[in-house]
């Protein structure tokens, strides 16, 4: 058993050259070294290697030679492969690995003839295909010119409809087809299983432009030939000893049928191959849509699909990758465990009901909790949205604002329904996860009824009503009794009253509403203005009066298709991870002391300050007059101005700017710390790490705890159709006969009708 770490010497940028004896050597490129051990996951190793050369981890392949054998390149594509590689080099402190990208040329052949075919594995990892899974694929099928290497009794594969076409491949097009040409390379090439070999044969035939059929195809041996009459192309492979690995024993790569030329007909892709391609796409981009996948397949492989074909293929691929929507709930305990394991300090709490059906799930990543405490304004917006799902799912969110007025997700929860109990639980979880002592202002819809929960859970907190929802309520109150013109006037005064920074200005706006509509004035008094008016609010909202900031968060979920619950959670995690990484990189290039958005706002106040001047000053106190002669009194030491805007926004108002310039001070020193670039970088200091979904248990028996989906609420009962009951005294229109023109009967019952 190895102890400690081994040194992995990673080489990239060079080429593999084949010698006369068939041995391979790596020439050129550069090398980096990292320490690895048996416990390092493959995804982590791949990500770390990709960071060395700034490669996309989705498009790199890692290979190595077996000890004392430089003729066979072995692909590393799983956690088990990493452990096998380190076990093979147990007695060595270093291991040489070679990193290839999609555009690398794998092998250079010397000019001198060689005695055997070039031996190497395919450039991209082979995706195993389950032979039994194809029965659920429902794309309409034909019966000609396609390839199916799985079923020897019916060697003629199935064509995916007449609408699936394949354009002639020009030089430089369809990069994946170029890679597939290396799927079969020669004698002694090894594959992990018979399914890997069959998959490689399918791709190789597509790329080389011929159709092959099996002569033998079982779990011990596989032999295939070109379908064209008289073509000598042959391949024979068999199992390697008692292992599941297959090795090519015989290979004749000569074609006389015109394969790979304009005279050779390129076979269509089978249903299994299309599903395999879509699985690879969905692994990298789980949120891809059918049209996007169809376009990518056309660009990479030259295969055109209709929308219905792409959609059905995606459904099958998703089912093979993720399991059913019901099974995804079984993954939740494992998912929560991995969130905490890969992101230490995070919180993932799963609650089920007595019958083990899903009840609610709370998630807060360590990077979000630390970021909020490091530099976000003590401001949290609470809102909810229905999630696209086959079961009852509601998303509860808690978001904040960074120093550049950008959305910053703090925590979220998925619950089976929105009610007071779930909201109270969500707020309790936020309190436990944050563990902060400073007062926090919560902005939410008044109808949520969160006053009791917030006051009992967050003792020193403040609650603010969302102005957007209040506006909708006011419009409904006035609708029907007031004209649209009057409603617009009332709403304009309502917004002025909400954003007014002083009590006097607020009272003037409310009086204007009273003069326009007494009904609206009464509604204003009953709406508890101390929770929404800047002038009356006791906490700090930094002039943010609505929950519209959460719309960006909900767009992440709205863009997702209907996915299993684990994919929804991981989709949100990926968006958060990208957001944190992008803003960390962007802020590294900022040179100003303030963030760009706040800097622009301050420059507006500086421009306005040119129109005012200081008329009197004492120690720390100034009187500033504008062009209308209105005098504002401010205190620089207390950051207080009689206009109220400095206290509301945290940014010096034009009067403060004039006073600072008069005293030769630095205006940046009078801005809130939350708006500085330094604080912004502290928010995005930590990262959110990916989850090792490749290790997710698949079989139902491997789940220690099985969580069942929530019970789907039955649809509301439909209103029965009512029969029309005629009013009394109303006579039904009498019948008229078109034959005899009589009344009381029709043509069919006419007595004059001949028998």
């Amino acid at each position: 058993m190895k102890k400690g770490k081994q040194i992995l010497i990673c080489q990239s940028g060079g080429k593999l050259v084949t010698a006369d004896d068939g041995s391979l050597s790596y020439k050129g490129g550069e090398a980096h070294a990292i320490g690895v051990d048996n416990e390092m996951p493959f995804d982590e190793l791949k990500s770390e290697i990709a960071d060395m050369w700034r490669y996309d981890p989705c498009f790199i392949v890692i290979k190595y030679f077996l000890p004392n054998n430089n003729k066979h390149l072995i692909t590393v594509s799983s956690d088990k492969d990493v452990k096998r590689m380190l076990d093979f080099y147990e007695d060595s402190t270093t291991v040489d690995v070679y990193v290839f990208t999609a555009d690398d040329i794998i092998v250079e052949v010397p000019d001198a003839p060689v005695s055997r075919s070039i031996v190497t594995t395919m450039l991209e990892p082979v995706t195993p295909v389950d032979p039994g899974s194809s029965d659920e694929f429902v794309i309409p099928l034909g019966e000609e010119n396609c390839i199916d290497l799985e079923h020897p009794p019916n060697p003629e594969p199935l064509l995916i409809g007449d609408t699936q076409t394949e354009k002639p491949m020009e030089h430089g097009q369809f990069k994946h087809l170029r890679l597939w040409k290396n799927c079969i390379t020669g004698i002694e090439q090894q594959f992990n299983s018979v399914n890997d070999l069959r998959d490689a044969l399918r791709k190789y035939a597509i790329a080389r432009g011929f159709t092959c059929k099996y002569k033998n195809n079982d779990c011990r041996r596989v032999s295939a030939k070109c379908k064209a009459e008289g073509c000598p192309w042959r391949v024979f492979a068999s199992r390697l000893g008692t292992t599941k690995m297959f090795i090519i024993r015989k290979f004749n790569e000569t074609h006389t049928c015109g394969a790979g030329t304009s005279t050779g007909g390129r076979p269509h892709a089978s249903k299994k191959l299309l599903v395999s391609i879509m699985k690879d796409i969905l692994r990298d981009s789980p949120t891809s849509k059918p049209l996007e996948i169809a376009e990518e397949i056309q660009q990479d492989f030259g295969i055109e699909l209709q929308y219905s074909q792409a959609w059905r293929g995606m459904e099958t691929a998703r089912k093979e990758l993720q399991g059913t929507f019901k099974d995804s709930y079984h993954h939740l305990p494992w998912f929560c465990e991995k969130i905490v394991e890969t992101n230490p300090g995070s919180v993932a709490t799963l609650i089920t009901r007595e019958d083990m059906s899903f009840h609610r799930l709370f998630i807060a990543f360590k990077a979000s909790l630390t970021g909020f405490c490091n530099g976000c304004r003590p401001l949290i917006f609470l809102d909810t949205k229905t999630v696209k799902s086959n079961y009852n799912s509601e998303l509860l969110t808690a978001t904040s604002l960074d120093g550049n007025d950008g959305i910053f997700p703090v925590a979220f929860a998925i619950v089976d329904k929105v009610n007071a109990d779930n909201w109270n639980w969500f707020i309790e979880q936020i309190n436990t996860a944050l563990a902060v002592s400073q007062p926090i202002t919560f902005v939410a819809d008044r109808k949520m009824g969160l006053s009791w929960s917030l006051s009992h859970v967050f003792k020193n907190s403040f609650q603010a009503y969302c102005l957007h929802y209040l506006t909708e309520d006011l419009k409904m109150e006035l609708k029907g009794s007031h004209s649209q013109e009057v409603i617009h006037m009332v709403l304009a005064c309502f917004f002025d009253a909400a954003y007014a920074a002083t009590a006097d200005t607020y009272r003037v706006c409310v009086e204007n509403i009273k003069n326009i509509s007494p009904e609206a004035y009464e509604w204003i008094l009953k709406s508890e203005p101390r929770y929404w008016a800047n002038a009356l609010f006791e906490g700090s909202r930094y002039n943010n009066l609505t929950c519209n900031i959460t719309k960006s968060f909900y767009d992440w979920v709205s863009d997702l298709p209907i996915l299993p619950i684990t994919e929804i959670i991981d989709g949100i995690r990926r968006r958060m991870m990208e957001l944190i990484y992008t803003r960390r990189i962007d802020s590294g290039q900022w040179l100003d002391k303030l963030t760009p958005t706040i800097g622009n706002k301050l420059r507006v106040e500086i421009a306005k300050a040119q129109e005012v001047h200081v008329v009197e000053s004492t120690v720390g106190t100034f009187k500033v007059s504008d062009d209308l002669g209105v005098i504002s009194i401010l205190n620089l030491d207390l950051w207080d101005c009689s206009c109220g805007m400095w206290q509301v926004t945290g940014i010096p108002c034009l009067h403060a700017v004039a006073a600072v310039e008069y005293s030769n001070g630095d205006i940046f020193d009078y801005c809130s710390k939350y708006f500085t670039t330094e604080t912004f970088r502290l928010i995005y200091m930590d990262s959110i790490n990916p989850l090792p979904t490749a290790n997710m248990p698949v079989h139902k028996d491997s789940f220690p705890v099985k969580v069942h989906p929530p019970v789907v609420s039955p649809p509301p009962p439909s209103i029965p159709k009512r029969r029309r009951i005629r009013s009394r005294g109303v006579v039904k229109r009498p019948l008229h006969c078109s034959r005899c023109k009589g009344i009381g009967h029709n043509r069919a019952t006419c007595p004059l009708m001949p028998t």
Side-chain angles (χ1 to χ4, degrees):
M1 188 72 181
K2 294 187 297 293
K3 295 181 180 180
K5 289 189 175 183
Q6 290 174 279
I7 299 175
L8 211 65
I9 301 176
C10 310
Q11 303 181 55
S12 183
K15 297 179 180 179
L16 285 171
V17 178
T18 305
D20 294 345
D21 61 352
S23 62
L24 299 172
S25 60
Y26 196 81
K27 304 293 184 183
E30 59 176 332
H32 292 276
I34 60 174
V36 296
D37 55 31
N38 254 338
E39 303 302 323
M40 175 173 280
F42 169 69
D43 291 338
E44 181 180 339
L45 174 63
K46 190 175 182 180
S47 177
E48 188 167 349
I49 290 177
D51 289 342
M52 292 178 180
W53 289 279
R54 297 186 180 275
Y55 290 157
D56 187 336
C58 300
F59 296 101
I60 68 170
V61 179
I62 305 169
K63 296 178 179 290
Y64 68 99
F65 287 115
L66 293 172
N68 303 319
N69 185 341
N70 60 347
K71 295 182 179 180
H72 300 147
L73 272 175
I74 308 300
T75 302
V76 181
S77 58
S78 67
D79 293 345
K80 291 184 179 179
D81 288 342
V82 176
K83 293 181 179 179
R84 289 194 194 103
M85 177 182 66
L86 298 180
D87 288 340
F88 291 150
Y89 285 89
E90 180 177 0
D91 298 329
S92 176
T93 57
T94 61
V95 182
D96 291 327
V97 299
Y98 309 98
V99 183
F100 300 98
T101 62
D103 297 327
D104 287 336
I105 299 175
I106 298 297
V107 179
E108 279 193 357
V109 184
D111 295 333
V114 297
S115 58
R116 62 170 58 187
S117 300
I118 302 168
V119 181
T120 183
T121 53
M122 56 181 296
L123 176 58
E124 66 174 6
V126 180
T127 303
V129 179
D130 182 6
S133 63
S134 61
D135 295 337
E136 300 176 2
F137 197 81
V138 291
I139 290 182
L141 303 174
E143 296 184 352
E144 56 186 11
N145 285 342
C146 192
I147 175 172
D148 184 356
L149 300 176
E150 298 284 345
H151 305 288
N154 182 17
E156 301 233 348
L158 301 176
L159 176 65
I160 300 190
D162 296 333
T163 56
Q164 177 192 332
T165 60
E166 190 164 354
K167 296 182 178 180
M169 185 177 69
E170 300 177 3
H171 180 70
Q173 286 185 328
F174 311 142
K175 60 181 180 180
H176 284 76
L177 289 182
R178 299 201 304 272
L179 300 179
W180 286 2
K181 289 184 177 181
N182 295 321
C183 288
I184 305 297
T185 56
I187 298 173
E188 295 188 9
Q189 182 182 0
Q190 297 178 7
F191 299 88
N192 291 331
S193 67
V194 66
N195 285 332
D196 286 2
L197 171 61
R198 291 166 180 163
D199 192 53
L201 281 171
R202 283 195 298 266
K203 294 178 178 179
Y204 181 83
I206 292 288
R208 295 289 180 175
F210 71 97
T211 301
C212 69
K213 64 179 182 179
Y214 283 122
K215 182 179 180 182
N216 294 294
N217 181 21
D218 54 44
C219 60
R220 291 186 174 275
R221 57 179 180 172
V222 172
S223 62
K225 66 176 184 176
C226 180
K227 187 180 178 182
E229 187 70 26
C231 183
W233 186 91
R234 298 285 189 280
V235 63
F236 173 75
S238 63
R239 184 187 288 183
L240 184 61
T242 58
T243 68
K244 293 183 179 180
M245 298 182 65
F246 265 66
I247 184 170
I248 294 180
R249 307 289 187 181
K250 298 179 182 179
F251 181 51
N252 185 347
E253 57 182 335
T254 303
H255 279 283
T256 59
C257 59
T261 67
S262 58
T263 59
R266 188 176 306 282
H268 291 272
S270 69
K271 54 184 180 181
K272 290 183 180 179
L273 183 57
L274 283 174
V275 172
S276 177
I277 294 171
M278 292 180 183
K279 284 167 67 176
D280 291 338
I281 296 174
L282 290 174
R283 281 192 187 97
D284 298 331
S285 304
T287 60
S288 296
K289 298 179 180 178
L291 288 179
E292 296 172 347
I293 287 185
E295 182 179 355
E296 184 171 348
I297 290 177
Q298 196 280 328
Q299 292 176 353
D300 291 345
F301 306 101
I303 301 171
E304 292 186 352
L305 298 175
Q306 288 186 343
Y307 178 87
S308 59
Q309 294 173 331
W311 185 86
R312 290 167 180 152
M314 283 181 58
E315 290 298 303
T316 302
R318 278 206 176 101
K319 187 173 182 180
E320 294 182 12
L321 283 174
Q322 306 160 357
T324 64
F325 286 85
K326 181 178 179 180
D327 292 342
S328 67
Y329 284 89
H330 298 334
H331 291 104
L332 286 178
W334 179 91
F335 216 77
C336 293
E337 178 184 347
K338 291 302 177 182
I339 287 177
V340 178
E341 180 182 318
T342 56
N343 296 270
S346 301
V347 180
T349 305
L350 173 65
I351 304 295
T352 60
R353 297 187 182 274
E354 293 181 358
D355 59 355
M356 293 305 296
S357 63
F358 175 81
H359 185 21
R360 47 201 182 194
L361 171 68
F362 174 86
I363 293 177
F365 290 97
K366 174 65 162 50
S368 295
L369 300 175
T370 303
F372 178 81
C373 296
N374 281 351
C376 283
R377 280 162 273 187
L379 188 64
I380 291 181
F381 302 88
L382 301 175
D383 212 342
T384 181
K385 181 180 178 62
T386 301
V387 179
K388 298 177 185 176
S389 174
N390 288 0
Y391 300 95
N392 296 331
S393 297
E394 300 287 340
L395 180 68
L396 310 182
T397 62
T399 55
S400 186
L401 287 172
D402 61 26
N404 201 40
D405 282 348
I407 179 178
F408 184 80
V410 178
F412 65 93
I414 297 180
V415 298
D416 53 1
K417 63 178 67 174
V418 176
N419 55 26
D421 180 51
N422 280 336
W423 267 117
N424 185 68
W425 174 81
F426 182 54
I427 293 171
E428 289 177 348
Q429 296 297 312
I430 295 174
N431 183 37
T432 303
L434 285 177
V436 294
S437 57
Q438 64 174 334
I440 297 178
T441 297
F442 291 88
V443 183
D445 182 10
R446 178 180 60 168
K447 292 182 178 179
M448 289 182 180
L450 303 181
S451 299
W452 185 90
S453 296
L454 291 174
S455 61
H456 283 73
V457 177
F458 286 88
K459 300 297 183 181
N460 300 321
S461 67
F462 301 95
Q463 183 184 4
Y465 292 158
C466 174
L467 189 62
H468 169 74
Y469 292 113
L470 286 172
T471 303
E472 295 300 317
D473 293 344
L474 179 56
K475 288 166 63 175
M476 291 299 298
E477 181 73 17
L478 301 179
K479 187 177 180 180
S481 59
H482 295 72
S483 65
Q484 288 296 324
E485 182 180 4
V486 172
I487 293 177
H488 288 317
M489 293 174 61
V490 170
L491 292 180
C493 293
F494 177 59
F495 273 91
D496 291 340
Y499 283 97
T502 63
D504 291 339
T505 307
Y506 165 78
R507 283 191 289 269
V508 171
C509 296
V510 172
E511 286 297 320
N512 291 337
I513 294 176
K514 183 177 181 180
N515 295 332
I516 298 172
S517 168
E519 295 85 353
Y521 175 76
E522 291 297 327
W523 184 92
I524 293 290
L525 296 181
K526 295 178 181 179
S527 64
E528 302 175 292
R530 68 181 184 277
Y531 291 115
W532 54 263
N534 269 338
L536 307 181
F537 189 69
E538 297 180 357
S540 299
R541 288 184 298 181
Y542 297 88
N543 214 30
N544 292 280
L545 277 65
T546 70
C547 292
N548 290 344
I549 186 66
T550 59
K551 183 179 182 301
S552 300
F553 192 100
Y554 292 141
D555 288 342
W556 296 353
V557 183
S558 300
D559 291 343
L560 295 174
I562 298 179
L563 294 174
I565 186 170
T566 51
E567 290 298 320
I568 293 174
I569 298 170
D570 203 43
I572 296 174
R573 180 202 58 78
R574 281 192 299 271
R575 292 292 186 93
M576 293 174 64
M577 181 176 67
E578 294 168 1
L579 180 144
I580 290 176
Y581 174 79
T582 302
R583 291 183 179 174
R584 184 195 304 134
I585 297 301
D586 291 345
S587 64
Q589 302 175 0
W590 296 348
L591 302 178
D592 295 335
K593 187 173 182 179
L594 299 181
T595 62
T597 300
I598 303 303
N600 291 334
K601 291 181 179 180
L602 182 60
R603 279 188 282 272
V604 171
E605 298 300 322
I606 292 175
K608 293 179 180 178
Q610 307 305 316
E611 302 175 358
V612 302
H613 58 281
V614 178
V615 296
E616 183 180 343
S617 66
T618 58
V619 179
T621 303
F622 299 83
K623 289 185 179 180
V624 181
S625 174
D626 59 18
D627 53 353
L628 298 178
V630 178
I631 294 178
S632 298
I633 301 175
L634 60 91
N635 188 312
L636 289 182
D637 296 332
L638 300 177
W639 289 26
D640 182 85
C641 181
S642 60
C643 75
M645 291 306 298
W646 193 1
Q647 299 90 297
V648 168
T649 62
I651 305 172
C653 59
L654 73 164
H655 311 108
V657 171
V660 171
E661 291 180 348
Y662 182 84
S663 60
N664 295 322
D666 186 354
I667 190 62
F668 297 109
D669 293 337
Y670 294 91
C671 296
S672 173
K673 65 176 183 179
Y674 299 115
F675 302 140
T676 63
T677 299
E678 180 182 1
T679 301
F680 184 92
R681 290 170 180 164
L682 290 176
I683 296 175
Y684 298 100
M685 180 178 61
D686 288 347
S687 301
I688 296 178
N689 299 319
L691 305 183
T693 53
N695 299 329
M696 183 182 296
V698 178
H699 300 290
K700 295 181 180 180
D701 297 337
S702 59
F703 300 112
V705 178
K706 291 185 178 180
V707 179
H708 304 293
V711 179
V712 179
S713 301
S718 57
I719 301 176
K721 186 177 181 180
R722 297 179 179 180
R723 291 188 59 187
R724 180 182 177 188
I725 301 176
R726 297 181 182 275
S727 302
R728 293 182 179 181
V730 177
V731 181
K732 184 179 180 181
R733 184 176 66 86
L735 293 175
H736 290 269
C737 179
S738 61
R739 180 184 295 276
C740 67
K741 309 303 180 184
I743 300 176
H745 64 274
N746 57 18
R747 183 183 181 89
T749 58
C750 181
L752 300 180
M753 182 177 180
T755 58

